[in-house]
Amino acid sequence: MTVTGTGDQARAYALQLSTNRLKATMNTLTQEVASGQVADLGQRVQGNTRTLNDIETRLAGTRQLQQNASEAANQLEGLQNIFEAVRLGTGNLGIELVSDPLLEGGFSLQTRIGQVATTFETVVQQLNGMNAGRFQMSGTATDTRPLASAQEMLDQLMIVVGGATDAASVQAAVSGWFDAPAGGFSDSAYRGNTDARTIPVSEGVEVAITTNAASQGVRDLLKGLAMIALMDRGVLAGDRAAQGELVRAGGQAMIAADTAILTEMGSIGLKQEVVERARVTNTAAISTFEIARTDIRGADAFETAAALTEVEGQLEALYAVTARLSRLSLVDYLR
């Protein structure tokens, strides 16, 4: 009778192969337990990755749209903050200028003129404000300060006003400079552009941000402030009646501008609502795509844990056998 045995080296090699196989299986199962996803995706989808690729593509696109929506929300909030700051200092000022009963008095008149000159400078600084390193009121030229300084504008207006000797002439010259399609405010004081910033915020939905420092309401406010601030430089000096008339004209311009600015803020608010709805839609879509992706790529936690426990038991048994064999000797074999 022929007895076929297994040599020590062959047995050791077989044990090593079994150990490596079990270790590899345990590592794979451990990875699946930790990540919640199957390690061999090709086997799960049987080589057809088209559906998964489509989900991944749409998920990435929706996440980008969500990021766009967050950016749009930030920009719109920045514009609202600028207008709120501007209105905090000017919202009631126009009414006060028009209705001040002591305006003809020299002290009250000079006080009001100085107040408006300071407010003009403050408003220009606020309109030149930045958000996240970008100028908010420059259209798409967000790297460019939208307005010249208040002092630069007044320097140009002093030339435009020239030797005007009555309130109507000063008002007409200032209004003409601010409203001129060329050669005035739009060319020499406004440094941005009037292009809309169009931002896609969800599938099929875009938001156009059109507000800038050349908007009519903003120009009207600056116009009202500037015609009064010019008197702080000596325009109509010595003619209190004419100065009082110009102060009231500037106040009326500011009242009209405040209404226009409120309308602009309302328009921005509507766009904020669109963006917020888009963010909700994007969140729901992202959740849906992630669930669909998990259904394809996800590993069953219970099955994976059970398989991991089984492999651990097999590996322990193999170690026990290996240890048992390593203790064999010729004396034990001959017994």
Side-chain angles (χ1 to χ4, degrees):
M1 182 179 71
T2 303
V3 178
T4 303
T6 303
D8 291 343
Q9 187 173 359
R11 183 183 295 111
Y13 181 68
L15 290 173
Q16 183 179 4
L17 286 178
S18 298
T19 300
N20 292 339
R21 177 179 56 80
L22 290 173
K23 283 183 176 180
T25 302
M26 186 169 69
N27 289 338
T28 299
L29 293 171
T30 301
Q31 178 184 345
E32 291 183 352
V33 169
S35 65
Q37 299 179 359
V38 294
D40 191 349
L41 183 60
Q43 182 180 6
R44 167 62 67 86
V45 300
Q46 297 179 344
N48 183 10
T49 60
R50 178 177 299 176
T51 300
L52 180 60
N53 289 339
D54 181 61
I55 292 173
E56 293 282 10
T57 299
R58 297 187 65 184
L59 179 59
T62 305
R63 283 177 172 163
Q64 180 60 56
L65 289 172
Q66 185 73 318
Q67 183 176 339
N68 292 353
S70 296
E71 174 62 23
N74 182 57
Q75 292 186 32
L76 291 169
E77 183 180 6
L79 291 173
Q80 293 284 39
N81 290 340
I82 288 175
F83 281 135
E84 287 174 1
V86 167
R87 291 195 69 250
L88 185 63
T90 64
N92 295 321
L93 183 57
I95 297 174
E96 294 173 359
L97 294 174
V98 171
S99 60
D100 189 348
L102 303 177
L103 195 58
E104 299 301 336
F107 177 77
S108 181
L109 182 61
Q110 293 305 314
T111 299
R112 287 298 190 183
I113 292 173
Q115 178 187 7
V116 173
T118 300
T119 301
F120 180 54
E121 186 170 356
T122 299
V123 168
V124 171
Q125 290 174 350
Q126 290 168 334
L127 293 172
N128 280 336
M130 301 182 75
N131 179 24
R134 292 177 297 186
F135 293 102
Q136 293 288 283
M137 302 290 285
S138 297
T140 58
T142 56
D143 60 342
T144 302
R145 188 182 302 275
L147 294 174
S149 70
Q151 298 305 314
E152 289 173 320
M153 280 191 269
L154 291 177
D155 288 342
Q156 295 181 55
L157 284 170
M158 287 295 291
I159 298 173
V160 171
V161 170
T165 57
D166 59 82
S169 298
V170 175
Q171 182 180 354
V174 172
S175 296
W177 185 79
F178 272 100
D179 294 336
F185 171 85
S186 59
D187 287 338
S188 57
Y190 181 62
R191 277 83 184 273
N193 60 44
T194 57
D195 298 337
R197 285 174 281 171
T198 302
I199 305 174
V201 294
S202 69
E203 191 169 352
V205 179
E206 295 180 340
V207 169
I209 302 177
T210 57
T211 303
N212 54 67
S215 299
Q216 190 62 52
V218 174
R219 280 188 291 162
D220 287 344
L221 176 61
L222 294 174
K223 182 193 307 179
L225 291 167
M227 67 177 66
I228 300 174
L230 282 171
M231 289 184 286
D232 196 47
R233 290 195 169 196
V235 172
L236 300 180
D239 190 344
R240 291 183 182 177
Q243 286 183 327
E245 183 182 347
L246 190 57
V247 167
R248 289 192 174 92
Q252 290 171 352
M254 291 170 62
I255 292 172
D258 189 58
T259 300
I261 287 176
L262 283 173
T263 301
E264 189 74 26
M265 293 177 71
S267 176
I268 294 172
L270 291 176
K271 292 174 183 178
Q272 286 178 302
E273 290 183 8
V274 172
V275 171
E276 189 56 35
R277 286 198 299 269
R279 293 172 78 174
V280 172
T281 300
N282 292 338
T283 298
I286 289 172
S287 178
T288 299
F289 291 140
E290 287 179 340
I291 290 173
R293 183 180 64 177
T294 299
D295 288 342
I296 295 175
R297 301 180 59 174
D300 185 281
F302 177 78
E303 292 182 359
T304 304
L308 182 59
T309 301
E310 181 180 354
V311 170
E312 288 175 345
Q314 293 175 357
L315 193 58
E316 290 175 358
L318 184 61
Y319 284 155
V321 170
T322 302
R324 175 68 176 173
L325 290 175
S326 66
R327 289 196 300 268
L328 291 179
S329 66
L330 178 60
V331 175
D332 293 329
Y333 176 76
L334 293 176
R335 287 179 179 176

